[in-house]
Structures are given as structure tokens and as C-alpha cells.
């Protein structure tokens, strides 16, 4: 199907034409176009035309207020996903996907299509689209941090309070969909998501949102396979630095919850990385133990008395020492101050974090609490502050605050078996545990959890059934009366509400409201100092209430996520224990069945044995008689066999001796014959060698006499050749000198021509000057110019004469050198001819010497005859 037909069908479905084309038929046409495009060599051109047509349709027909048109458009793009490049999805994001993800009325399949299209674009790793995909990934993270609703921002909360229900639904769907996209993308490409979080984690204002996102990401069961990637990623160190250096208790609480979830996963999947960050973990523990409650920041009010800033800083320094120590310059970290500065900042809970550390490394925890600064120095772990660890850490306060935690935890069995050094060097006892088992067993080290577990265990043994009594009336919490200046609250009502919320009972909320009660934000009847607040200024109690509610909401949500994660881990552990129990029960049942079967088979075997016993007695008597007779026959046969064996051995021994003697005689005879043959062959060979040597000596002597005069002449030729070579070298040296002189002459000629051209240019310049002077001056100046010109001409004639004389002398010298060179060339040619004649004579002599046979050879021509034959005219 062509792109024009497809776009026509899409336009018809969006406009609701009369041809009544259904959505399924349209999607089938889209699938056909995808198949055609994948098999076509011009797929990029077809896709470009289709995208252009779809852009036109979206501009002309598309209505964002119609959920149906959005669903159709998303379905078409989803079916085009196999051929859509990521740049196309990125271009459609602002005009289609972003409004769709904000629309709460959109159907679930359409929202799923939009999410899958965005996730597929984020997963493309082609080098062509790498930069675009990276920018799109960063933009999604920026939208989640800056555009979505932020519970930790006071401005967002105030804006949220002013929105109607529909706008709130849109913002909620927008944030939930962005979270879902990032989490699903992180499940498929964990390292890319961690990198983006690491980049944005450098901004202090984004850390709380990123920690909440990471809490959701880690709570997913599929994250366990990616925990080793996070352990080796720099994001882990950024989280630990945030816990060590940031001063926001809300951020630290979320970070501690995240760390408590991560440590069991690191223990299972990344034990080596866990040991590498052990120092940072203990530094975080020391920081959390000495964290003190911080009062709310002072709110600027119209007062005559200014605040004593020095006193406030000194008070803060005394209460939270680590928060006021400046950071070391090597640590490039920007601290996050109070997130909610209008409410009291409570210290983060240290019990779950201490429990999991105490379970994993009990001996090291006790060693650290005994001497915190020395333990961090021995690791070694550099101090992030300008002070060293002994000066920065209040060690006595750490020991005092950890005493309560140690009292509320049972003694770890590993404290008896290993010390701190063996705990880090040997294999961990939890090396083969699952994360759920580590979490559950660690929680049981807490005295409260272990006591609750024992109580539930006793109740299960007693099988006490507790039935709910539906007849009891529901207890209602009385509303608070704030009409007076003082709010009256009953202490028992607060206790009842706390117990109901902390227990596992079903709490029914009557008359739920989507808006906060207006009485909560009611202005006080009178202001201090009798002053009225400005209309645009937010009252101080309003800011305090907003900040406290925001912080409480975030902490409750964080605690809820942690409890859900802990419940899931406990359920997994309980399932494993139940499976082990079922397997044990099945094994016991199989064992009991095998025991009964064995007993039955034993009784049956005894009856069979009793019936066969009598037959066995008769058979035994017969066997004894037969064995006696057999024994007698065996004795007779063995005696006869022994005699035969002895006689046979004697014969074999004699035969062997005779064979050995004969074999020795035959070997000796063969050796003697072989020695005789070798001696004869040696004599014959030596005779032949002696005759050959005598012949060779005679031939060599004769040959020497014949070639003696030739050798003498060759020596003479060699001397002549050496003389000719020396002359040739002298000639080469002279020729080189001649060439140098020639180059010098050429250089002088060039200089002469240059000087000549310069003189001519000077003459022309002088003529011009004289002409101008002759026009301006009178007859006297003209006569002076002629006189100067005459003198210049004479001087140039003199220089010309000298140059010509030099050229003539060089020409004469060159002619002489050419004559000498010609004579030397002639001599060299004659010497070359003589050398060639000598070489020819040597070759002829070699051929004659190698061609003759025996001591007498055919007469050969003398070298003089050969020379005369080569030059008949000479």
C-alpha cells in the first residue's frame, strides 16, 4: 500500500468519514505498509513521505480534546514502530505523546502504546541517533524533576492547592506516566538510567525527588539482577556522600531507606563492591548517630529586635558539629541545606540501618563503635572535612548514642566465631543466602521484632482463634474546636489514633475530603504587635503547616514504600520456609511409606526362607557327600598333574639350554663373517683411494707446469688493472673539480646578469630623474645631468670589461680542462679494452681448464694467439 492511500485512510478515520473504515482495518493497512517498507529499497523515502503527510493531518484535523483521535494516532504510530527511527518519536513527543500522557481520560492501551514508543526510542543504540537519544533521555529526566509535581516544593504544593480536580488528575497522570517510563527504561537499560540520575544528582534541589524515584526503582523485583551494576556505578558513591555531607534530614531519611534496601542486594550480588564501600557506610552510621533535632529556621517578621546571627551560628555549631565543619576542597560537593526550613527537623531513624549493618558485619560494627576515628583511619578513608577524623567525630557521643541500639539488639552468633579481620578476609556466612532471607534474619536481631515473632509463634502453637466482633460501635475521633484562641485536644484521642494507625487493624475514614480543611489555614484573630499582615504575604503559621505536612507526607510515603518492600521480602522468605517445610513433610511421608514397605517385605521374606529351609538341609547333606568325593578326585588329579608338570619342566629346561647354545654359535659365526667382509672392503677402498690420489697429484703437477706462465701474466695484468683504476680515480677527481669550476662559472654568470640588470634598472631610474630634473631646472642642471650620465656610462663600460675578462679566463681554463678530460677518457677507454681482453682470456683459460679430462689434454692456444685473433688489424 502506498503512503498516500494510508494517509487518506488515517484522515478518513480521524474525520469520521462516510466510508466507515474501522480502526482494525486501518491498523491492518498500517501493518501492510510496514511490510512493504521493510522489503523496499526506498524505505527511507516512503517513511519520510508518510511522516510529512501525518504531520499535515495532525496540523489540519487533529483535535487534542478528543480522546478517540489521540487513541487512533497513537495506535497508528505504535504499529509503525518497527520502521520508525528514534528521531521521529522524539519529534512526535511534544505534539502527541506529551498531551496524551497528561490526559486521564485516555484508555489504558493507548497510554501503554505511548510509553512503549518512548521506551523503544530510548533503547536505540545506533551511532547515528546516539546524541539525539541521549538528549531526549536527559530531557525526560528534566521534565520529571522540573515539570512534574514535586511534593518537596512549597511552591508546587501551593499551586496544587489552587488547582481543580481535573487539573490535579492531569498532573498526577503526567507524573505517574513519567515515573513508569523511567522505571521500565531502567529495567531494560539500567546503566543509562543510573548515569542520568548520577548527572542530575549533582544538583542539590533534585536529590529528594531522585531518591524517591530510586526507592521505587529498587523496590521492583526485577532490579535484583541489576544491583551489581549500581554497586560499581558512581551513583552509589554520590548517595553515600549525600548521606555524609547533606544537612537535610528528609533527604537523609530517604537515602537511608534506599541504603537499607540496597545492602541485602549488594550482599548477594556484589560482595566485593560492598567491602569497598564499608568505610563510607560506617561514616554514614556515625553521622546519623550524632544527628540532633534542629529547630525551624527563623521566619522574617516585622520586629524591632534584630537576630543575633553569631549566636545562632554558635548554637548550631554546638548542636550539630558535623554540619558546620567546612568541606575539604578536594571534595567537589554542593551541600543541600534544610528542605523544609519552616518546621522542626527530626533526626533520621538509625535503627533499620544499624540492624542491617550489624547483621552483615557484627564484629566490624563493634570495632567501629569502640574507636570510630581510628577505624576509619585504618581502612583508610579520607576525611571529607577540613578536619581529620579524630577532630571531626565526637567519639564519646557516638558511643553513648549507640549504647541504646546495642541493648535493643540480640547478640550476633558470629561474634563468638570470628573477629573483625577474619570477618573481612574469610567467606561470609550469608554468601549463599537470598536477599529476602538476609532482610528477614536481620530484622529478627532487633529485640522488638524477635519478641513479636516469639509471641506470634506461641499463638500459632496454641491455635487461638480471634474473631472480629462486628457488633461493637465504631470509635470516632472528635473534631478539634479551634473557634477559641486555644485548641483543646484530648490526650486519649491522640493515643487511640496513633495505636489505630500503627496497628494492622482496618481503619475506616468517614467523610473523606479531597481538599484540606479551611480551618487548618485560618488566620489568627490577632497578630503580634497589633500589626496587620500584607495581603500578598504568606502567614508564618501557614508556612509552618505546609512544611510540616509536606515533610510528614514524604516521610510517610517513604515509610510506606519501605514497609511494602519489607513485606514483600518477608513474604518471599516465608514462601521459601514454607516450601522447605512442605519438602520436609513430603520427605518424612515418603520415609514412613518406605519403612512400612520394608517391614512387609521382611515378613514375606521370612516366610519364604522358612519354607525353603527344609529343602536346603537335604540339599546341604547331598552337597557334603559330593564335595567329599570331589575332594578325593581332585587330590588324585592334582598329584598326577604335579608329576607331569615336573617331567615337562625338566624337558623344557634341557631343550632351552640346547637352543641357547646353538643360538650363541650362530651369532658368533655371523659376527666373524661380517668382520671378514668389512676388512676386505676396507682394503679395496683404501687401494682405490690411493690410486686416485696418485693420479690427482700427477695431474695437478702437470697442470701447474702448463699454466705457470699464464699465472705470471695474470699477475702482470692485475698490476696493470690496479694502475688503471688509480688513473681512473684521478680522472674522476679532476672531473669533479671541473664540474665544481663549471658551477662556479655558472654562478658568476648569473651574478653578472643580475648586476647587469641592476645597472640597467639604475640607468633607467637615473634617466627618469634626469628627465624630470631637466624639465624643472635650467640649462645648467641639464649640462650637469649629461656630465653625470657620461661618468655613469664610463663606469659601467669598465665593469663590463672586467666581467668579460673573467669570463674569457674561465673559458680558457674550461677548454684546457676539457682537453685533459678528453685525453683521460681516451686512456680510460684503452684501459677498459685491455681489461675486457684480460677478462676474455681468463674465461677461455677457465673453460680450457675445466674441459680437459685425464692427465693429457689437447693442445690449447696461447693467450697471445687469442688476443691476435680478437684484434686482427692491430
Amino acid at each position: 500500500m502506498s503512503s498516500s492511500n494510508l494517509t487518506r485512510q488515517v484522515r478518513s478515520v480521524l474525520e469520521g468519514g462516510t466510508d466507515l473504515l474501522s480502526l482494525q482495518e486501518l491498523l491492518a493497512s498500517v501493518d501492510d505498509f510496514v511490510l512493504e517498507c521493510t522489503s523496499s529499497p526506498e524505505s527511507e523515502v516512503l517513511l519520510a513521505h508518510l511522516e510529512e503527510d501525518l504531520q499535515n493531518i495532525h496540523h489540519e484535523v487533529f483535535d487534542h480534546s478528543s480522546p478517540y483521535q489521540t487513541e487512533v494516532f497513537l495506535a497508528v504510530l505504535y504499529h509503525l514502530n518497527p520502521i520508525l527511527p528514534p528521531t521521529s518519536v522524539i519529534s512526535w513527543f511534544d505534539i502527541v505523546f506529551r498531551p496524551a500522557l497528561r490526559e486521564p481520560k485516555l484508555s489504558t492501551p493507548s497510554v501503554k502504546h505511548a510509553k512503549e514508543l518512548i521506551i523503544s526510542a530510548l533503547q536505540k543504540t545506533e551511532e547515528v541517533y546516539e546524541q539525539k537519544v541521549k538528549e531526549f533521555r536527559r530531557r525526560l529526566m528534566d521534565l520529571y524533576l522540573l515539570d512534574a509535581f514535586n511534593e518537596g516544593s512549597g511552591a508546587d504544593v501551593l499551586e496544587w492547592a489552587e488547582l481543580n480536580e481535573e487539573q490535579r488528575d492531569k498532573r498526577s497522570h503526567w507524573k505517574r506516566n513519567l515515573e513508569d517510563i523511567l522505571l521500565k527504561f531502567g529495567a531494560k537499560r539500567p546503566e543509562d538510567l543510573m548515569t542520568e540520575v548520577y548527572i542530575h544528582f549533582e544538583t542539590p534541589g533534585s536529590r529528594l525527588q531522585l531518591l524517591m524515584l530510586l526507592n521505587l526503582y529498587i523496590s521492583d523485583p526485577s532490579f535484583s539482577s541489576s544491583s551489581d551494576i549500581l554497586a560499581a556505578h558512581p551513583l552509589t558513591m554520590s548517595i553515600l556522600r549525600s548521606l555524609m555531607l547533606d544537612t537535610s534530614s528528609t533527604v537523609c531519611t530517604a537515602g537511608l531507606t534506599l541504603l537499607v534496601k540496597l545492602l541485602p542486594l549488594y550482599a548477594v550480588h556484589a560482595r566485593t563492591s560492598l567491602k569497598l564501600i564499608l568505610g563510607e557506610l560506617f561514616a554514614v552510621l556515625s553521622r546519623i548517630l550524632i544527628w540532633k533535632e534542629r529547630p525551624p529556621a527563623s521566619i522574617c517578621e516585622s520586629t524591632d529586635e534584630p537576630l543575633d546571627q553569631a549566636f545562632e551560628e554558635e548554637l548550631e555549631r554546638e548542636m550539630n558539629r558535623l554540619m558546620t565543619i567546612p568541606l575539604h576542597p578536594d571534595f567537589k560537593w554542593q551541600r543541600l541545606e534544610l528542605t523544609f526550613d519552616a518546621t522542626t527537623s527530626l533526626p533520621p531513624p538509625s535503627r533499620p540501618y544499624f540492624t542491617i549493618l550489624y547483621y552483615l558485619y557484627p564484629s566490624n560494627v563493634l570495632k567501629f563503635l569502640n574507636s570510630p576515628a581510628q577505624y576509619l583511619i585504618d581502612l583508610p578513608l579520607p576525611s571529607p572535612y577540613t578536619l581529620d577524623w579524630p577532630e571531626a567525630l565526637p567519639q564519646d557521643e557516638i558511643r553513648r548514642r549507640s549504647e541504646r541500639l546495642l541493648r535493643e539488639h540480640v547478640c550476633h552468633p558470629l561474634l563468638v566465631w570470628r573477629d573483625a579481620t577474619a570477618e573481612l578476609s574469610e567467606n561470609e556466612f550469608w554468601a549463599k543466602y537470598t536477599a529476602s532471607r538476609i532482610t528477614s534474619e536481620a530484622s529478627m536481631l532487633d529485640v522488638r521484632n524477635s519478641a513479636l515473632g516469639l509471641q506470634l509463634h506461641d499463638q500459632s502453637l496454641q491455635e487461638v482463634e480471634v474473631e472480629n466482633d462486628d457488633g461493637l460501635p465504631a470509635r470516632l475521633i472528635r473534631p478539634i474546636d479551634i473557634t477559641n484562641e486555644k485548641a483543646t485536644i484530648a490526650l486519649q484521642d491522640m493515643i487511640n489514633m496513633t495505636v489505630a494507625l500503627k496497628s494492622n487493624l482496618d481503619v475506616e475514614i468517614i467523610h473523606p475530603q479531597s481538599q484540606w480543611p479551611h480551618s487548618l489555614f485560618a488566620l489568627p484573630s490577632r497578630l503580634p504587635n497589633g500589626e496587620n499582615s500584607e495581603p500578598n504575604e504568606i502567614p508564618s503559621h501557614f508556612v509552618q503547616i505546609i512544611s510540616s505536612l509536606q515533610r510528614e507526607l514524604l516521610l510517610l510515603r517513604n515509610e510506606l514504600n519501605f514497609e511494602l518492600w519489607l513485606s514483600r521480602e518477608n513474604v518471599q522468605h516465608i514462601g521459601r520456609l514454607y516450601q522447605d517445610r512442605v519438602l520436609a513433610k513430603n520427605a518424612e511421608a515418603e520415609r514412613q511409606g518406605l519403612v512400612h514397605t520394608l517391614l512387609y517385605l521382611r515378613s514375606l521374606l521370612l516366610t519364604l526362607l522358612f519354607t525353603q529351609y527344609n529343602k536346603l538341609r537335604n540339599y546341604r547333606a547331598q552337597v557334603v557327600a559330593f564335595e567329599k568325593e570331589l575332594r578325593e578326585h581332585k587330590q588324585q588329579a592334582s598329584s598326577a598333574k604335579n608329576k607331569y608338570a615336573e617331567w615337562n619342566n625338566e624337558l623344557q629346561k634341557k631343550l632351552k639350554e640346547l637352543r641357547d647354545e646353538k643360538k650363541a654359535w650362530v651369532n658368533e659365526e655371523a659376527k666373524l663373517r661380517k668382520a671378514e667382509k668389512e676388512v676386505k672392503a676396507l682394503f679395496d677402498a683404501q687401494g682405490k683411494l690411493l690410486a686416485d690420489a696418485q693420479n690427482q697429484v700427477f695431474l695437478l703437477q702437470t697442470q701447474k707446469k702448463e699454466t705457470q706462465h699464464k699465472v705470471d701474466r695474470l699477475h702482470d695484468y692485475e698490476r696493470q688493472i690496479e694502475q688503471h683504476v688509480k688513473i681512473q680515480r684521478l680522472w674522476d677527481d679532476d672531473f669533479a673539480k671541473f664540474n665544481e669550476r663549471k658551477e662556479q662559472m655558472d654562478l658568476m654568470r648569473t651574478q653578472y646578469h643580475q648586476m647587469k640588470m641592476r645597472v640597467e634598472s639604475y640607468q633607467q631610474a637615473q634617466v627618469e630623474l634626469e628627465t624630470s630634473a631637466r624639465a624643472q631646472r635650467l640649462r645648467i642642471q641639464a649640462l650637469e645631468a649629461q656630465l653625470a650620465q657620461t661618468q655613469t656610462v664610463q663606469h659601467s663600460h669598465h665593469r663590463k670589461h672586467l666581467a668579460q675578462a673573467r669570463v674569457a679566463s674561465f673559458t680558457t681554463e674550461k677548454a684546457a680542462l676539457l682537453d685533459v678530460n678528453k685525453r683521460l677518457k681516451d686512456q680510460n677507454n684503452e684501459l677498459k679494452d685491455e681489461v675486457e681482453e684480460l677478462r676474455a682470456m681468463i674465461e677461455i683459460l677457465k673453460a680450457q681448464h675445466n674441459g680437459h679430462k685425464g692427465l693429457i689434454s689437447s693442445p690449447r692456444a696461447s693467450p697471445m694467439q687469442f688476443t691476435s685473433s680478437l684484434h686482427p688489424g692491430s
Side-chain angles (χ1 to χ4, degrees):
M1 175 178 288
S2 62
S3 60
S4 59
N5 294 332
L6 181 60
T7 52
R8 193 180 302 110
Q9 293 181 4
V10 172
R11 182 185 293 271
S12 176
V13 172
L14 290 175
E15 291 178 348
T18 56
D19 51 355
L20 299 178
L21 184 67
S22 64
L23 180 60
Q24 298 299 327
E25 294 175 351
L26 175 61
L27 296 180
S29 302
V30 173
D31 293 336
D32 295 338
F33 176 78
V34 170
L35 293 176
E36 180 183 352
C37 192
T38 52
S39 60
S40 175
E42 299 179 352
S43 57
E44 296 181 358
V45 178
L46 294 175
L47 186 59
H49 290 169
L50 178 63
E51 287 191 8
E52 184 179 358
D53 294 339
L54 289 177
Q55 292 278 358
N56 295 331
I57 291 174
H58 182 273
H59 181 69
E60 297 171 1
V61 180
F62 193 77
D63 183 10
H64 288 285
S65 62
S66 173
Y68 174 73
Q69 290 190 358
T70 305
E71 292 174 3
V72 171
F73 221 89
L74 288 174
V76 171
L77 292 177
Y78 179 74
H79 282 261
L80 289 173
N81 188 29
I83 59 174
L84 279 181
T87 53
S88 177
V89 177
I90 295 171
S91 64
W92 287 107
F93 179 76
D94 287 326
I95 57 179
V96 175
F97 296 125
R98 189 171 178 179
L101 294 176
R102 289 176 178 271
E103 182 57 49
K105 298 178 182 179
L106 202 63
S107 62
T108 303
S110 299
V111 176
K112 184 178 179 181
H113 291 167
K115 293 178 183 178
E116 290 183 359
L117 282 167
I118 295 173
I119 294 172
S120 66
L122 292 174
Q123 290 178 345
K124 299 294 178 60
T125 57
E126 289 84 354
E127 188 176 358
V128 182
Y129 313 117
E130 184 178 1
Q131 188 62 30
K132 291 287 186 181
V133 172
K134 190 179 295 185
E135 294 175 357
F136 183 52
R137 195 162 56 227
R138 190 156 301 170
R139 187 188 175 198
L140 281 179
M141 185 63 71
D142 291 337
L143 286 174
Y144 176 74
L145 296 175
L146 303 175
D147 191 45
F149 175 64
N150 181 12
E151 295 90 344
S153 172
D156 285 3
V157 172
L158 293 175
E159 184 182 357
W160 178 272
E162 296 175 357
L163 298 177
N164 55 27
E165 193 68 26
E166 182 179 358
Q167 292 174 341
R168 291 181 184 180
D169 289 343
K170 287 185 177 181
R171 298 199 66 176
S172 299
H173 278 75
W174 173 236
K175 181 176 182 179
R176 187 161 52 250
N177 290 329
L178 282 178
E179 277 183 355
D180 197 16
I181 290 171
L182 292 175
L183 295 179
K184 288 182 179 179
F185 171 68
K188 297 180 180 179
R189 299 290 298 276
E191 189 171 0
D192 292 338
L193 179 64
M194 294 172 192
T195 303
E196 291 300 324
V197 174
Y198 170 72
I199 293 172
H200 289 81
F201 205 82
E202 299 295 330
T203 306
S206 303
R207 288 173 192 163
L208 181 59
Q209 283 180 279
L210 293 174
L211 288 174
M212 302 300 288
L213 177 65
L214 287 175
N215 267 308
L216 296 175
Y217 178 51
I218 292 171
S219 300
D220 192 82
S222 63
F223 173 74
S224 59
S225 60
S226 307
S227 57
D228 55 339
I229 301 176
L230 180 58
H233 200 274
L235 178 59
T236 300
M237 193 56 63
S238 294
I239 295 172
L240 292 173
R241 285 191 178 182
S242 174
L243 291 172
M244 286 193 294
L245 305 176
D246 287 342
T247 60
S248 172
S249 62
T250 309
V251 170
C252 290
T253 302
L256 279 179
T257 305
L258 179 68
L259 208 55
V260 171
K261 294 180 182 180
L262 283 175
L263 288 179
L265 296 174
Y266 286 175
V268 175
H269 302 284
R271 292 193 294 274
T272 306
S273 301
L274 180 60
K275 289 181 180 179
L276 294 177
I277 61 173
L278 196 58
E280 285 80 1
L281 295 176
F282 285 134
V284 171
L285 178 62
S286 64
R287 202 284 179 85
I288 300 304
L289 287 176
I290 61 175
W291 197 304
K292 295 181 180 179
E293 180 179 335
R294 303 175 67 187
S298 300
I299 301 174
C300 297
E301 297 179 354
S302 57
T303 177
D304 297 334
E305 297 180 0
L307 294 175
D308 190 352
Q309 190 67 24
F311 176 73
E312 294 291 335
E313 293 178 357
E314 183 67 23
L315 183 62
E316 179 68 19
R317 191 179 302 110
E318 290 295 331
M319 293 183 63
N320 293 287
R321 176 176 172 78
L322 285 181
M323 297 182 184
T324 57
I325 300 176
L327 299 182
H328 198 275
D330 294 341
F331 283 81
K332 307 297 181 181
W333 186 261
Q334 188 176 359
R335 267 180 170 173
L336 174 63
E337 300 299 334
L338 289 172
T339 306
F340 304 102
D341 54 358
T343 183
T344 302
S345 176
L346 299 176
S350 59
R351 180 184 295 273
Y353 182 64
F354 175 82
T355 302
I356 191 67
L357 274 182
Y358 179 62
Y359 175 79
L360 296 174
Y361 298 102
S363 300
N364 280 273
V365 169
L366 295 184
K367 183 179 178 180
F368 168 74
L369 294 177
N370 184 30
S371 180
Q374 189 61 38
Y375 183 87
L376 296 178
I377 292 173
D378 294 340
L379 276 176
L381 179 67
S383 173
Y385 309 103
T386 53
L387 303 177
D388 294 333
W389 286 119
E391 300 174 358
L393 292 180
Q395 303 187 52
D396 295 335
E397 187 175 357
I398 292 175
R399 297 189 190 99
R400 180 174 56 83
R401 288 179 176 270
S402 62
E403 182 179 356
R404 179 181 177 184
L405 290 174
L406 292 174
R407 291 179 181 276
E408 293 178 352
H409 285 76
V410 298
C411 180
H412 200 293
L414 203 66
L415 295 173
V416 184
W417 303 333
R418 294 180 182 176
D419 57 358
T421 306
E423 196 172 65
L424 296 177
S425 59
E426 299 178 2
N427 293 330
E428 296 85 353
F429 71 96
W430 36 261
K432 297 182 179 179
Y433 288 4
T434 61
S436 58
R437 182 176 179 180
I438 291 175
T439 305
S440 300
E441 291 186 1
S443 63
M444 295 307 294
L445 290 177
D446 195 338
V447 174
R448 298 181 302 180
N449 295 332
S450 59
L452 181 61
L454 291 174
Q455 182 181 359
L456 293 176
H457 181 66
D458 294 340
Q459 291 178 0
S460 63
L461 293 178
Q462 296 174 3
E463 295 182 356
V464 178
E465 296 181 358
V466 180
E467 296 180 357
N468 294 327
D469 190 2
D470 297 336
L472 295 177
R475 293 291 305 275
L476 300 178
I477 306 298
R478 290 178 297 178
I480 302 174
D481 185 12
I482 59 172
T483 55
N484 300 325
E485 295 181 359
K486 241 198 272 185
T488 305
I489 302 174
L491 180 61
Q492 188 62 38
D493 290 342
M494 296 173 63
I495 295 174
N496 294 338
M497 182 183 295
T498 304
V499 171
L501 293 175
K502 291 290 185 181
S503 63
N504 292 326
L505 301 176
D506 294 333
V507 180
E508 182 183 359
I509 299 175
I510 60 174
H511 305 299
Q513 296 182 2
S514 59
Q515 298 280 347
W516 288 336
H518 295 285
S519 59
L520 185 65
F521 308 115
L523 292 175
S525 57
R526 56 184 178 178
L527 294 173
N529 300 329
E531 297 179 0
N532 295 326
S533 61
E534 298 181 3
N536 295 330
E537 184 181 0
I538 301 176
S540 61
H541 83 289
F542 186 85
V543 175
Q544 291 178 0
I545 292 172
I546 291 293
S547 298
S548 61
L549 288 177
Q550 279 183 270
R551 186 176 186 278
E552 189 69 22
L553 177 63
L554 288 175
L555 293 179
L556 288 174
R557 184 171 296 174
N558 184 47
E559 186 177 357
L560 176 61
N561 291 332
F562 178 73
E563 292 296 335
L564 290 175
W565 173 81
L566 189 62
S567 301
R568 189 194 70 198
E569 297 297 327
N570 289 333
V571 166
Q572 290 181 0
H573 185 58
I574 291 169
R576 186 185 60 81
L577 293 177
Y578 180 73
Q579 185 178 4
D580 295 342
R581 183 179 179 185
V582 170
L583 292 175
K585 285 184 177 180
N586 293 336
E588 181 67 22
E590 291 179 359
R591 190 179 66 82
Q592 293 294 335
L594 290 175
V595 168
H596 290 304
T597 305
L598 288 175
L599 291 175
Y600 172 72
L601 292 175
R602 182 182 178 185
S603 61
L604 183 61
L605 183 61
L606 288 176
T607 54
L608 292 174
L609 289 175
F610 182 75
T611 54
Q612 298 295 328
Y613 179 69
N614 295 326
K615 296 180 181 180
L616 184 60
R617 291 177 62 186
N618 297 329
Y619 293 152
R620 187 176 294 175
Q622 295 177 4
V623 167
V624 169
F626 290 148
E627 286 179 351
K628 187 177 180 181
E629 293 179 2
L630 181 61
R631 198 178 300 114
E632 292 177 355
H633 288 299
K634 282 183 178 180
Q635 290 176 358
Q636 295 176 2
S638 62
S639 61
K641 185 177 180 181
N642 292 333
K643 291 179 181 179
Y644 173 76
E646 291 176 358
W647 179 69
N648 192 12
N649 289 334
E650 291 177 359
L651 292 178
Q652 292 290 336
K653 189 175 181 182
K654 291 179 180 180
L655 180 61
K656 185 178 181 182
E657 290 176 356
L658 293 174
R659 287 178 177 172
D660 292 340
E661 188 176 359
K662 182 179 178 181
K663 187 176 181 181
W665 290 347
V666 171
N667 291 335
E668 188 176 357
E669 182 183 4
K671 289 179 181 179
L672 292 174
R673 288 179 180 175
K674 185 177 181 182
E676 183 181 4
K677 289 181 180 180
E678 290 178 354
V679 170
K680 287 181 179 180
L682 182 61
F683 286 157
D684 294 338
Q686 287 178 354
K688 291 180 180 179
L689 290 174
L690 183 59
D692 292 338
Q694 290 176 355
N695 292 333
Q696 288 180 1
V697 169
F698 180 73
L699 291 173
L700 290 174
Q701 289 176 355
T702 306
Q703 206 171 30
K704 181 180 180 183
K705 292 176 181 180
E706 290 178 355
T707 59
Q708 184 64 37
H709 66 285
K710 298 178 182 178
V711 173
D712 295 337
R713 290 192 65 182
L714 285 175
H715 287 304
D716 296 336
Y717 290 153
E718 288 177 355
R719 285 192 294 273
Q720 292 178 6
I721 289 170
E722 290 178 358
Q723 293 175 359
H724 293 162
V725 170
K726 291 180 180 178
I727 293 171
Q728 178 70 25
R729 290 176 181 171
L730 292 173
W731 184 84
D732 291 337
D733 295 338
D734 293 339
F735 192 75
K737 292 179 180 179
F738 169 74
N739 289 333
E740 292 178 359
R741 289 294 182 89
K742 185 180 179 181
E743 291 177 358
Q744 292 177 0
M745 288 176 63
D746 294 336
L747 181 61
M748 292 180 67
R749 284 178 181 174
T750 304
Q751 292 177 354
Y752 169 73
H753 286 298
Q754 290 178 355
M755 293 172 65
K756 186 177 179 180
M757 292 174 66
R758 188 177 295 176
V759 168
E760 291 177 355
S761 64
Y762 287 161
Q763 289 175 356
Q764 186 176 358
Q766 187 67 26
V767 169
E768 292 177 356
L769 291 173
E770 290 171 355
T771 304
S772 62
R774 193 168 46 248
Q776 296 177 1
R777 294 179 183 178
L778 299 174
R779 181 67 177 171
I780 297 171
Q781 294 175 351
L783 293 174
E784 289 177 356
Q786 290 177 1
L787 181 61
Q789 184 176 6
T790 305
Q791 291 177 358
T792 305
V793 170
Q794 289 176 358
H795 181 63
S796 64
H797 282 306
H798 179 64
R799 292 180 63 182
K800 242 183 231 185
H801 181 69
L802 289 177
Q804 288 176 358
R806 284 185 182 178
V807 171
S809 63
F810 289 150
T811 305
T812 306
E813 187 177 356
K814 180 179 179 182
L817 290 174
L818 288 173
D819 293 337
V820 173
N821 188 14
K822 185 176 182 182
R823 288 196 303 272
L824 291 175
K825 279 185 178 180
D826 295 337
Q827 291 177 5
N828 189 19
N829 291 331
E830 292 175 359
L831 291 174
K832 283 184 178 180
D833 294 337
E834 291 180 3
V835 169
E836 292 296 330
E837 290 175 0
L838 291 174
R839 286 179 181 172
M841 290 173 64
I842 291 170
E843 293 295 330
I844 291 171
L845 291 174
K846 285 183 180 180
Q848 291 177 358
H849 177 68
N850 294 329
H852 69 80
K853 296 181 181 178
L855 295 175
I856 302 172
S857 63
S858 60
R860 292 170 292 179
S862 66
M864 297 304 295
Q865 293 176 356
F866 176 74
T867 306
S868 62
S869 65
L870 288 175
H871 304 281
S874 60

